[in-house]
Amino acid sequence: MHFDFGDFVRRWVIALVLVFATYNPTPWSFISWVLRDLSADLPYKALAGVVLFIAYVIFLRATWRSIGAFGILLVAALFGALFWVLADLRLLDTGNRDLVTWLILTVAATILGIGVSWSHVRRRISGQADVDDVED
């Protein structure tokens, strides 16, 4: 199967939409919608919640299976160190709560994007395919 940078970007954008649709610092997110009035639009909120849950199960399971806890920790540490450098250079305003929230959400989506893409990347780098399920 062919996998290129465009394929990674598409998966990353889907992860961004998933994460930002769930929560962001604006009033336009699932969490904000649910908390605005808990009893209003309940069937629609339930449907949206189930769809989001299914998407998270797919992304989290793929991420966990491909990069695992250590890989997640490494990617988070990389971005944490990058943000630290940017803050030290005064290029990142750590006092801006919304900006920091957007950055953390972007890192979470990036981890998911890497997670759902990593098996393809590893196969391209090493020539070895990951096989998780064995058929009898």
Side-chain angles (χ1 to χ4, degrees), residues 16-38:
L16 284 169
V17 169
L18 175 62
V19 170
F20 292 160
T22 304
Y23 176 76
N24 64 67
T26 72
W28 301 100
S29 71
F30 176 74
I31 299 295
S32 297
W33 179 40
V34 167
L35 295 178
R36 197 171 305 126
D37 183 357
L38 293 176

Side-chain angles (χ1 to χ4, degrees), residues 39-58:
S39 60
D41 301 323
L42 202 53
Y44 305 103
K45 291 175 181 176
L47 177 62
V50 170
V51 169
L52 287 172
F53 183 73
I54 290 168
Y56 273 107
V57 167
I58 292 167

Side-chain angles (χ1 to χ4, degrees), residues 114-129:
I114 290 170
V116 296
S117 302
W118 188 250
S119 290
H120 297 287
V121 172
R122 182 177 15 216
R123 185 178 62 229
R124 294 275 311 253
I125 292 170
S126 69
Q128 298 175 354

Side-chain angles (χ1 to χ4, degrees), residues 40-119:
D41 301 323
L42 202 53
Y44 305 103
K45 291 175 181 176
L47 177 62
V50 170
V51 169
L52 287 172
F53 183 73
I54 290 168
Y56 273 107
V57 167
I58 292 167
F59 271 78
L60 290 170
R61 187 164 189 252
T63 299
W64 191 262
R65 291 178 82 168
S66 66
I67 64 175
F70 189 65
I72 293 167
L73 181 67
L74 285 176
V75 175
L78 174 67
F79 280 101
L82 175 63
F83 293 157
W84 190 3
V85 167
L86 292 174
D88 191 58
L89 294 171
R90 307 235 189 288
L91 298 173
L92 176 61
D93 178 13
T94 56
N96 183 340
R97 188 172 171 176
D98 286 347
L99 174 63
V100 172
T101 301
W102 283 107
L103 289 174
I104 290 170
L105 294 172
T106 302
V107 169
T110 302
I111 290 170
L112 293 176
I114 290 170
V116 296
S117 302
W118 188 250
S119 290

